[in-house]
C-alpha cells in the first residue's frame, strides 16, 4: 500500500504541476460562472446554461488535461527509463500501472469537485436572479454568488503566487488546488438542496465516461506513442457520440444527455465496468511488455 | 563456486528482439556466460550496441532472455525477493522534473518500503554524501545533467542494496563529479557491496573494478581480473584500454 500511495502521489503532483492544468482549472471554473451571465442565452430555463457549461467544461477541459496526463504518466515513463528504475526495485507492473493512473484520476476528481461546485453556485445564482429580477428580464446572475465564484478563481492565481514567492510552494499545483478550494465557501450561499440534487446525475455519469477515456489512454500508452493514443481516444469520443458503441467506448448519447430525472445507476455501472476493462487491458499489456 | 557466492549468474543467455510480425530484428546477446561474485566491483565493457544494456535489463528482469538462464541471488530475476536486494541506476536518468531532490530520494525510499521519517533522514544523509544538500529543496527539472545524475545515484542507494547496478554512472559528470562517484563506488565496495557497472570510460573502470568482461556483438570476447590485466600490460596506466582494443581486434580478425 505504501508503494501504491508513493507512486500515485508522484503522478498526482506531476499532473497538477503541468502549466496546462494550472490554466484549465481556474479557466473552467471561470467559464462556468461567466458564460451564464451572458444575456439572451439561457435555453429558456434559469440555470440550464450554467449546467450545460459545467458539463461541457468537465468533458472538454477535463479530458484536455487528464488524457495527456495519463499518456505522460505511463508512456513517457516507459520511454524515459524512469519506469524501469521503479520496476527494477520489485514493484509489480500492474500495481505501477494502477497507481500511476490513480494519481491522474485523483486530480481529475479534484477537477470534478471544482467544476461541480462552480456549476451548483452558478445555477443557483441564475435561479436566484430570475426570481429577483423577473420583471425587467435583464440581469441573468445573482451578484453575491457570481462575485464569490469569479473572485475565487482569480484569487487562486494570486494566492498560489504568494505561496510560491514566500513559501516556495509549487505554483501550478497550488493554483489547481486553490481554484477548487475557493469555490467551496460559495456553496454556503445556496438556499435549499433541490438544485444540488438535479445536477448530480448528469455530472456523475459524465465523469464515469471521462474515467473510461482516461483509462483507455493509459492502457494504449503502454504500446503506442502519444500522437497515436490522442487520435484513438479522440476517435473513440466521436464514435461514442455517433453510435451506440458501448463495448469498449461509452455511448456518449446516454452519458452526456442524462437528464436529472433519469436513473444514473446504469450509465455509472457501465462506465466503471468499461474503465475496469481498460485497466485490465493496460495491466496485461504492461506485464507482457519488454522494457527495451 | 556455489550459487550463494554468485550474486549474478548468466548461462548461455541469448536475446533476440523481434518486430511486430515476430521476425528477428536484432540478436542483441548471443550465448553470454557471466558470473558476478559477492563483493566484486564488476565492469561490463564493450562498444555501443554490444548488448551491455540488454544484459543488464535481463538481470533486472525487465526483459526475458530468448534462451539460457539468468539468476539473481540464485533466484529468478523477476522474483520480488531478489529485486528487493538491488539498486539500479539507468543509463538515462529521467527524474520527475517537478519533484525536489529530497522528494525524489524519498520517493524511491518509499518504494523500498521505508517509513517517511526514516526516508527523510536517509535522503538527507545521501544528499550530503553526494554534495547535494544545498540543492535538496530545488526541483530536479532545473538541475544540470551532472547534478541530476547524482540525485539518481542517491535514489539507487537509498535502500542500502546488496547489489548496485550502474549503467554508465559517470555519464554527463564533470571530472570532479566523476572522481566523487568513483570514490563513492570504492567506499561502497569496501563496505561489502557488490557493484556491476557499464562504462565507456575505461580509465575509470580500471581504477574501480576488480573484474571485467568485454562484450562485443552480444558475445563475451574477453575478461578477467583487472589486477592480472594490468600486470600483463606494457603501459600500466592504459592497461584496460590496450586489453579492450586487443580483444576487439581479435574478434574482428576471427570474423
Amino acid at each position: 500500500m505504501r508503494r501504491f500511495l508513493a507512486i500515485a502521489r508522484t503522478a498526482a503532483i506531476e499532473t497538477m504541476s503541468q502549466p496546462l492544468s494550472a490554466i484549465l482549472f481556474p479557466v473552467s471554473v471561470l467559464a462556468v460562472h461567466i458564460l451564464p451571465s451572458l444575456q439572451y442565452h439561457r435555453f429558456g430555463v434559469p440555470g440550464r446554461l450554467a449546467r450545460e457549461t459545467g458539463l461541457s467544461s468537465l468533458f472538454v477541459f477535463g479530458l484536455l488535461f487528464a488524457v495527456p496526463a495519463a499518456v505522460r504518466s505511463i508512456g513517457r515513463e516507459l520511454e524515459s527509463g524512469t519506469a524501469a528504475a521503479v520496476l527494477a526495485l520489485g514493484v509489480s507492473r500492474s500495481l505501477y500501472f494502477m497507481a500511476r493512473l490513480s494519481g491522474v484520476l485523483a486530480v481529475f476528481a479534484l477537477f470534478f469537485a471544482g467544476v461541480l461546485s462552480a456549476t451548483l453556485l452558478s445555477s443557483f445564482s441564475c435561479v436566484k436572479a430570475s426570481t429577483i429580477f423577473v420583471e425587467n428580464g435583464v440581469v441573468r446572475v445573482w451578484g453575491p454568488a457570481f462575485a464569490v465564484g469569479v473572485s475565487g478563481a482569480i484569487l487562486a492565481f494570486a494566492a498560489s503566487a504568494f505561496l510560491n514567492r514566500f513559501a516556495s510552494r509549487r505554483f501550478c499545483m497550488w493554483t489547481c488546488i486553490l481554484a477548487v478550494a475557493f469555490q467551496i465557501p460559495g456553496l454556503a450561499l445556496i438556499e435549499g438542496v433541490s438544485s444540488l440534487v438535479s445536477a448530480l446525475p448528469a455530472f456523475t455519469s459524465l465523469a464515469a465516461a471521462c474515467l473510461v477515456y482516461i483509462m483507455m489512454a493509459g492502457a494504449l500508452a503502454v504500446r503506442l506513442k502519444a500522437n497515436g493514443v490522442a487520435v484513438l481516444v479522440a476517435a473513440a469520443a466521436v464514435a461514442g457520440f455517433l453510435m451506440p458503441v458501448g463495448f469498449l467506448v461509452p455511448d456518449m448519447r446516454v452519458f452526456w444527455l442524462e437528464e436529472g430525472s433519469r436513473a444514473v445507476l446504469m450509465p455509472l455501472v457501465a462506465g466503471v465496468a468499461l474503465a475496469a476493462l481498460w485497466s485490465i487491458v493496460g495491466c496485461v499489456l504492461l506485464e507482457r511488455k519488454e522494457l527495451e | 563456486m556455489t550459487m550463494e557466492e554468485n550474486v549474478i549468474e548468466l548461462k548461455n543467455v541469448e536475446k533476440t528482439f523481434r518486430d511486430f510480425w515476430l521476425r528477428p530484428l536484432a540478436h542483441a546477446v548471443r550465448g553470454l556466460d557471466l558470473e558476478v561474485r559477492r563483493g566484486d566491483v564488476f565492469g561490463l565493457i564493450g562498444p555501443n550496441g554490444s548488448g551491455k544494456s540488454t544484459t543488464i535489463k535481463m538481470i533486472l528482469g525487465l526483459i526475458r532472455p530468448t534462451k539460457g538462464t539468468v539468476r539473481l541471488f540464485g533466484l529468478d530475476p523477476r522474483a520480488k525477493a531478489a529485486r528487493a536486494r538491488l539498486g539500479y541506476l539507468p543509463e538515462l536518468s529521467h527524474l520527475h522534473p517537478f519533484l525536489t531532490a529530497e522528494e525524489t530520494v524519498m520517493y524511491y525510499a518509499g518504494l523500498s518500503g521505508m517509513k517517511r521519517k526514516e526516508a527523510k533522514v536517509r535522503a538527507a544523509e545521501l544528499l550530503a554524501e553526494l554534495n547535494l544538500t544545498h540543492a535538496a529543496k530545488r526541483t530536479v527539472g532545473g538541475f544540470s545533467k551532472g547534478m541530476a545524475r547524482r540525485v539518481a545515484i542517491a535514489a539507487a542507494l537509498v535502500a542500502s542494496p546488496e547489489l548496485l547496478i550502474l549503467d554508465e554512472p559517470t555519464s554527463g559528470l564533470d571530472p570532479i563529479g566523476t572522481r566523487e562517484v568513483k570514490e563513492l563506488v570504492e567506499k561502497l565496495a569496501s563496505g561489502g557491496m557488490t557493484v556491476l557497472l557499464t562504462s565507456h570510460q575505461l580509465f575509470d573502470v580500471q581504477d574501480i573494478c576488480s573484474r571485467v568482461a568485454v562484450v562485443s556483438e552480444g558475445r563475451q570476447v574477453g575478461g578477467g581480473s583487472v589486477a592480472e590485466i594490468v600486470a600483463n600490460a606494457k603501459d600500466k596506466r592504459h592497461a584496460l584500454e590496450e586489453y579492450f582494443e586487443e580483444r576487439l581486434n581479435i574478434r574482428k580478425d576471427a570474423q
Side-chain angles (χ1 to χ4, degrees):
Chain A
M1 193 60 186
R2 190 172 290 146
R3 286 176 158 185
F4 185 93
L5 291 176
I7 297 168
R9 180 178 172 272
T10 307
I13 291 175
E14 235 177 51
T15 304
M16 285 191 286
S17 300
Q18 300 295 330
L20 182 67
S21 305
I23 294 168
L24 288 181
F25 270 65
V27 162
S28 306
V29 168
L30 274 177
V32 173
H33 285 294
I34 290 173
L35 282 180
S37 72
L38 301 176
Q39 297 183 16
Y40 314 118
H41 298 283
R42 57 178 196 175
F43 299 146
V45 182
R48 176 74 187 265
L49 185 57
R51 200 193 80 148
E52 296 303 324
T53 309
L55 287 170
S56 304
S57 292
L58 180 67
F59 185 72
V60 178
F61 293 144
L63 290 186
L64 208 56
F65 87 83
V67 166
V71 173
R72 201 170 31 244
S73 195
I74 302 292
R76 190 150 171 256
E77 289 269 303
L78 290 170
E79 278 172 25
S80 68
T82 317
V86 173
L87 297 174
L89 297 174
V91 173
S92 125
R93 292 182 181 208
S94 298
L95 181 139
Y96 179 76
F97 179 83
M98 292 308 294
R100 292 288 301 171
L101 285 184
S102 298
V104 176
L105 290 179
V107 180
F108 183 79
L110 184 72
F111 180 76
F112 173 83
V115 174
L116 180 62
S117 305
T119 306
L120 296 177
L121 188 58
S122 185
S123 307
F124 172 74
S125 160
C126 294
V127 173
K128 179 90 173 173
S130 67
T131 58
I132 297 173
F133 304 106
V134 69
E135 284 173 12
N136 58 30
V138 172
V139 179
R140 295 283 180 262
V141 290
W142 183 51
F146 180 76
V148 168
V150 170
S151 61
I154 294 167
L155 266 178
F157 281 113
S160 50
F162 181 85
L163 285 173
N164 180 259
R165 170 66 183 83
F166 296 104
S168 301
R169 302 289 177 195
R170 294 179 181 88
F171 174 77
C172 293
M173 187 176 105
W174 281 96
T175 303
C176 295
I177 294 171
L178 295 178
V180 176
F182 287 165
Q183 293 303 305
I184 308 296
L187 296 179
L189 295 172
I190 298 174
E191 297 156 7
V193 291
S194 57
S195 61
L196 298 179
V197 174
S198 67
L200 276 175
F203 268 84
T204 315
S205 54
L206 189 63
C210 293
L211 174 73
V212 180
Y213 290 120
I214 294 167
M215 297 309 282
M216 180 195 289
L220 294 174
V222 175
R223 284 282 173 182
L224 302 175
K225 300 271 181 201
N227 289 347
V229 178
V231 168
L232 285 177
V233 172
V238 172
F241 278 112
L242 295 179
M243 60 189 98
V245 187
F247 178 57
L248 290 175
V249 173
D251 180 353
M252 289 306 294
R253 295 172 307 174
V254 177
F255 279 95
W256 181 271
L257 301 173
E258 194 62 39
E259 289 295 335
S261 57
R262 286 179 58 183
V264 71
L265 189 63
M266 277 319 288
L268 196 61
V269 170
V272 172
L274 282 174
L277 182 66
W278 276 109
S279 64
I280 292 167
V281 170
C283 289
V284 171
L285 287 176
L286 188 56
E287 288 287 348
R288 296 171 65 88
K289 188 177 173 69
E290 296 215 296
L291 298 173
E292 294 167 31
Chain B
M1 186 66 53
T2 65
M3 287 291 281
E4 269 306 295
E5 286 169 303
N6 282 336
V7 173
I8 298 169
E9 194 169 89
L10 275 73
K11 276 188 185 163
N12 195 27
V13 169
E14 289 189 12
K15 180 66 197 176
T16 304
F17 288 111
R18 295 178 186 277
D19 67 8
F20 182 79
W21 305 106
L22 301 178
R23 292 174 299 194
L25 202 63
H27 297 287
V29 178
R30 308 161 191 239
L32 187 65
D33 293 306
L34 204 68
E35 282 178 1
V36 178
R37 298 167 204 150
R38 191 174 296 281
D40 268 351
V41 178
F42 194 97
L44 191 60
I45 55 177
N48 286 333
S50 58
K52 301 185 298 291
S53 292
T54 303
T55 303
I56 282 186
K57 283 176 179 171
M58 284 192 285
I59 292 168
L60 293 166
L62 297 174
I63 56 179
R64 288 191 176 93
T66 311
K67 197 178 152 194
T69 55
V70 180
R71 309 296 284 174
L72 181 63
F73 296 105
L75 302 165
D76 185 291
R78 288 172 81 95
K80 268 188 187 174
R83 287 198 279 175
R85 295 159 75 180
L86 67 84
Y88 169 52
L89 174 77
E91 189 176 352
L92 299 168
S93 307
H94 280 278
L95 302 165
H96 295 111
F98 301 108
L99 295 185
T100 65
E102 186 188 40
E103 284 171 336
T104 303
V105 181
M106 284 179 68
Y107 170 55
Y108 283 92
L111 294 179
S112 306
M114 230 178 256
K115 286 182 182 163
R116 194 171 165 76
K117 210 172 174 181
E118 194 187 346
K120 207 171 170 68
V121 174
R122 181 74 181 134
E125 259 175 36
L126 282 167
L127 292 174
E129 204 163 337
L130 288 154
N131 292 330
L132 285 167
T133 305
H134 65 287
K137 302 285 180 194
R138 278 170 51 196
T139 50
V140 298
F143 280 12
S144 67
K145 200 176 171 190
M147 282 171 84
R149 200 73 183 141
R150 281 188 278 159
V151 174
I153 293 173
L157 288 172
V158 75
S160 308
E162 287 174 53
L163 167 65
L164 183 63
I165 297 180
L166 306 170
D167 204 353
E168 301 284 353
T170 54
S171 154
L173 296 185
D174 59 21
I176 297 166
T178 302
R179 197 188 65 216
E180 283 169 358
V181 170
K182 280 163 66 176
E183 285 170 1
L184 180 70
V185 172
E186 280 166 348
K187 188 178 159 193
L188 295 168
S190 66
M193 189 182 285
T194 308
V195 180
L196 168 65
L197 63 89
T198 70
S199 180
H200 290 295
Q201 312 296 324
L202 299 183
F203 205 67
D204 299 335
V205 174
Q206 184 179 324
D207 280 349
I208 55 177
C209 289
S210 55
R211 292 202 307 133
V212 291
V214 184
V215 288
S216 174
E217 294 170 4
R219 290 189 179 89
Q220 185 171 349
V221 294
S225 152
V226 172
E228 281 173 21
I229 291 169
V230 173
N232 295 332
K234 291 175 201 157
D235 178 359
K236 306 288 181 202
R237 198 66 202 107
H238 298 98
L240 193 58
E241 212 170 301
E242 253 178 40
Y243 180 77
F244 180 75
E245 283 173 10
E246 180 198 313
R247 299 315 299 177
L248 290 186
N249 286 335
I250 288 172
R251 174 93 197 109
K252 278 178 190 165
D253 292 344
Q255 279 180 332

